[in-house]
Amino acid sequence: MSTSVIRLKTSVQESILELLNEQIGMEAQSSAAYLSMAAWCYSQGLNGCGAYFKIQSGEERDHMLKLFDYIVDVGGLPVSPAIARVEKTFEGLRDILVKALEQEISITQSFNRITEQCHKAKDYQTAKFLQWYLDEQLEEEQQARRCIEIYDLIGTEDGGLYRIDKEIIKLKTHEEK
Ligand code: OFO
């Protein structure tokens, strides 16, 4: 007689699992978008920003895997997400920095929505898990805003882009604060 492996019932509602899986897709898309931003920066000689976005891309993948692991832990089935095409050309570094901030804001809004649904479903365990992401988003939005401030404060006159590039990577190496 063959044995089949079945997943036991989970306390996390199917609708919440679906939202978490959608978030996996969002984190993967974010990771891909940041990698594309890194590629563009490197192509412009902006190696500090290239490194900044490459690190950010890795962080987004980590966020994705943390969600993946949680779904496994609660007995659900996580997805391996499909990635939509990402933008490859940008108007300039400031355009990228603004897009990065907008991306982070939409991710924060998404986590707020999922957390709200968890509260409605009385799924306090998942809501507690999501608190880590909300804390992380506070930091990520702050960092994305700081990049734009650095850009605007230094300006692009007199080799400013070179200095902006040097300052932005410091946000990841924690030399700036
Ligand atoms: Fe994972 O979104 Fe930024 O963080």
Side-chain angles (χ1 to χ4, degrees):
M1 196 179 88
S2 67
T3 47
S4 64
V5 178
I6 56 158
R7 307 287 332 207
L8 296 174
K9 206 166 153 48
T10 167
S11 62
V12 179
Q13 287 182 10
E14 201 52 45
S15 61
I16 300 291
L17 290 172
E18 267 171 35
L19 291 173
L20 295 176
N21 266 327
E22 280 170 20
Q23 191 63 36
I24 282 185
M26 205 165 177
E27 300 292 332
Q29 193 66 43
S30 175
S31 177
Y34 279 133
L35 199 58
S36 184
M37 290 175 183
W40 184 90
C41 289
Y42 282 123
S43 78
Q44 304 296 308
L46 297 165
N47 290 3
C49 289
Y52 174 93
F53 284 115
K54 191 152 73 90
I55 292 168
Q56 189 64 39
S57 172
E59 288 177 8
E60 299 302 337
R61 182 176 160 78
D62 289 345
H63 298 165
M64 177 191 86
L65 293 177
K66 196 174 166 74
L67 283 157
F68 185 100
D69 289 343
Y70 180 77
I71 295 174
V72 169
D73 286 348
V74 298
L77 183 65
V79 294
S80 174
I83 309 291
R85 223 143 56 102
V86 291
E87 224 174 322
K88 281 190 192 150
T89 52
F90 301 91
E91 285 167 24
L93 181 58
R94 199 177 190 287
D95 173 44
I96 285 187
L97 299 177
V98 169
K99 286 194 161 91
L101 175 60
E102 285 168 351
Q103 187 167 296
E104 289 305 331
I105 289 172
S106 77
I107 289 176
T108 304
Q109 288 169 339
S110 179
F111 277 116
N112 281 335
R113 279 194 298 272
I114 305 174
T115 305
E116 187 184 353
Q117 291 310 312
C118 287
H119 281 280
K120 280 190 185 153
K122 296 191 176 8
D123 182 350
Y124 302 115
Q125 184 186 52
T126 305
K128 180 166 169 268
F129 165 73
L130 292 174
Q131 187 59 49
W132 181 89
Y133 285 91
L134 292 172
D135 293 342
E136 178 75 9
Q137 284 309 116
L138 184 70
E139 196 179 303
E140 302 236 317
E141 275 191 41
Q142 186 273 334
Q143 206 167 71
R145 262 193 307 277
R146 185 67 188 142
C147 284
I148 299 170
E149 281 173 2
I150 288 171
Y151 187 101
D152 289 346
L153 284 168
I154 297 176
T156 54
E157 300 286 299
D158 301 323
L161 256 186
Y162 183 79
R163 285 178 49 221
I164 291 167
D165 187 53
K166 295 275 175 236
E167 289 302 318
I168 283 180
I169 184 57
K170 287 184 189 171
L171 293 171
K172 289 292 182 203
T173 55
H174 304 293
E175 289 169 55
E176 210 248 9
K177 250 288 178 203

